[in-house]
Amino acid sequence: MKNAAKYERAYFMPPEDCYDWVKKEYITQPPTWCSVDLRDGNQALIIPMSLDEKIEFFKYLVQVGFKEIEVGFPAASETEYDFLRALIEQNLIPDDVTIQVLTQAREHIIRKTFAALEGCKKAVVHVYNSTSVAQREQVFKKSKEEILQIAKDGAILLKELAEETNGNFLFEYSPESFTGTEMEYALEVCNAVIDIWQPRPDWKVIINLPVTVQHSMSHVYACQIEYMSKHMHNRENVILSVHPHNDRGCGVADTELAVLAGADRVEGTLFGNGERTGNVDIVTLALNMYAHGVDPKLNFENLPEITEAYERLTRMHVYERAPYAGKLVFAAFSGSHQDAIAKGMKWRESKDPNHWNVPYLAIDPHDIGREYEGDVIRINSQSGKGGVAYILEENFGYRIPSKMREDVGYTVKGISDHQHKELLPKEILSIFTEKYVNIATTIKLVEVHFAQKNGGIETELTLGREGIMKVYHGKGNGRLDAISNALKRHNVLDYKILDYKEHSLTVGSNSKACAYVQLQLPDGRIFWGAGVHSDIIDASALALFSAVNRALA
């Protein structure tokens, strides 16, 4: 692309090496979570949520387990003001949940914000002003000293109004466009605010360092956070928060590395909704921790329900391949993937049921309310024998012999390819039943009798063929051998039996048995048949006749 030269570096590295975060392998405990779905996520919607929708969404966030929820910009719009007042006046805020409101560092907006908070049991008042080079020079046309004074004036006014207003207030400050700000200057501004607020162990303040726009790779942001954490005044009484956006598609990476670098708190949204490319996706962050054995302290055990509510209330769509929540993220269409997953499931069940290490599946879908049926093994023209066999066994109890799986797999795949669509489990069962089970297209077994004579088994078969009934006789070492010899004796078909398997059907009907027979014709061709009956002997006979009929066809 010809215009790359016009993009100069818009971020600033710290003035010293800050790479202690590199030594950490993974996040060992979750940060404090703050949902900004009802503010940042709402203002990014084409049609913002109504008052009733915001109340319903707030209740979902509480149900998930958020203890801090940013509810809006009450000085910005009537709906957001009314929403805040409804939460307070209708006593909808649980005692263990703290709401958060946002305000610019402008006097009339701060005053209106505190007026909206009258009577609130506990709230974080989040004040911000922009500090980046681009904002200072292009938007505000102010010097560093003037921008610093805006932050200090806002911090002073928060302190004054908190003492005058009925309620319990915590403070948060954000140097908006932090990543585009010189690190020494960002530190100076934040420390000035901290010095005004004078946090204590029993009254900590939040310093939020947002990725308002992503300018750098994620490791740069981690170094910036580590630098700020190391040099921030009164650090033990400061909660270091991050609020990453996703302009470069690195919101999750930025946040994870920032937590390694010292961040205590994360602001984000469910599924990453927010301005432009969105905020960091808290569902992904939390379940990434969960996949490392760390309880994120958020409950996504019924993620499909949460996804449905989110899509309904925001009119947004969760992408099918979005991590964890997407409808297809656990789906395996590839034959080799299906085979590995099916074998992994079997291995885990018998060898190590208390741990999860199944190929191709980062976490157990059941943990977030997903089902193996329809979610994991999905069948289309790209699928393999293992996937088809897995569907038939897990859903319907058919334990297809390993040698038969390829035959069944190609049959099902061929139909999917011809119809140009995915096949659902019930459709796969219908294909298997139609093509392999109790087939009587040419010869029908009407009646069979056995007698034990001279150390062997004799049989008398009544068969129907083209509407004509005939009685055949045969002898053998066992019942199936006797039936087979009767067919060969009367020249029905020349073949030999290569394989035979049987089992009880464990899904759907415990009273039925299933048998499988593999035949080989003199020219080498192979045919399989299956039989299902309440009696295993009859099931075996039906399996043989299914294979014979498939060969005759």
Side-chain angles (χ1 to χ4, degrees), residues 66-302:
F66 285 100
K67 301 304 179 185
E68 297 183 14
I69 302 172
E70 190 170 79
V71 298
F73 206 140
S77 75
E78 184 178 351
T79 300
E80 300 216 348
Y81 181 92
D82 291 343
F83 173 52
L84 174 58
R85 293 312 307 165
L87 292 176
I88 296 170
E89 293 167 6
Q90 297 177 33
N91 197 29
L92 297 175
I93 308 169
D95 291 340
D96 62 345
V97 172
T98 302
I99 63 166
Q100 177 171 304
V101 292
L102 186 67
T103 176
Q104 291 176 322
R106 301 171 65 185
E107 182 176 352
H108 72 284
I109 296 177
I110 293 174
R111 290 187 181 278
K112 187 172 181 180
T113 300
F114 271 94
L117 285 167
E118 181 70 34
C120 185
K121 296 177 184 177
K122 188 177 183 181
V124 173
V125 182
H126 181 184
V127 63
Y128 72 94
N129 68 303
S130 195
T131 59
S132 69
V133 174
Q135 293 270 15
R136 294 196 318 259
E137 293 179 349
Q138 301 170 33
V139 180
F140 299 108
K141 296 179 171 58
K142 292 183 181 295
S143 67
K144 286 183 176 181
E145 292 74 20
E146 290 173 308
I147 294 294
L148 172 60
Q149 194 59 49
I150 291 173
K152 291 166 69 174
D153 290 344
I156 291 169
L157 187 56
L158 252 66
K159 199 168 184 179
E160 292 174 355
L161 293 179
E163 294 174 358
E164 299 172 6
T165 307
N166 179 29
N168 181 13
F169 302 109
L170 302 172
F171 297 160
E172 175 176 351
Y173 172 72
S174 288
E176 192 199 3
S177 59
F178 163 75
T179 51
T181 305
E182 308 92 329
M183 288 297 102
E184 301 96 320
Y185 179 61
L187 182 65
E188 179 185 356
V189 174
C190 290
N191 279 339
V193 170
I194 293 169
D195 291 344
I196 290 168
W197 285 343
Q198 290 295 304
R200 310 178 303 270
D202 61 335
W203 187 78
K204 295 186 178 184
V205 300
I206 302 166
I207 297 296
N208 184 58
L209 304 176
V211 184
T212 307
V213 178
Q214 282 184 329
H215 296 301
S216 70
M217 295 175 68
S218 299
H219 74 285
V220 173
Y221 185 53
C223 292
Q224 292 169 337
I225 294 299
E226 183 174 311
Y227 172 76
M228 296 292 287
S229 180
K230 284 180 175 180
H231 297 285
M232 203 172 281
H233 290 179
N234 209 342
R235 178 65 179 92
E236 68 277 10
N237 295 320
V238 172
I239 299 167
L240 179 52
S241 178
V242 293
H243 181 123
H245 280 254
N246 201 41
D247 303 87
R248 290 168 55 93
C250 301
V252 169
D254 280 359
T255 308
E256 291 184 327
L257 297 189
V259 172
L260 291 180
D264 309 303
R265 180 179 184 267
V266 171
E267 294 185 351
T269 58
L270 298 178
F271 312 113
N273 184 35
E275 292 281 23
R276 305 183 313 279
T277 55
N279 292 294
V280 68
D281 181 341
I282 287 183
V283 171
T284 300
L285 280 172
L287 292 176
N288 280 356
M289 294 180 198
Y290 184 71
H292 280 167
V294 177
D295 183 358
K297 305 300 182 184
L298 293 175
N299 185 351
F300 294 119
E301 291 179 3
N302 195 345

Side-chain angles (χ1 to χ4, degrees), residues 6 19 143 309 468 503 553:
K6 73 180 180 182
Y19 291 107
S143 67
I468 299 173
H503 66 82

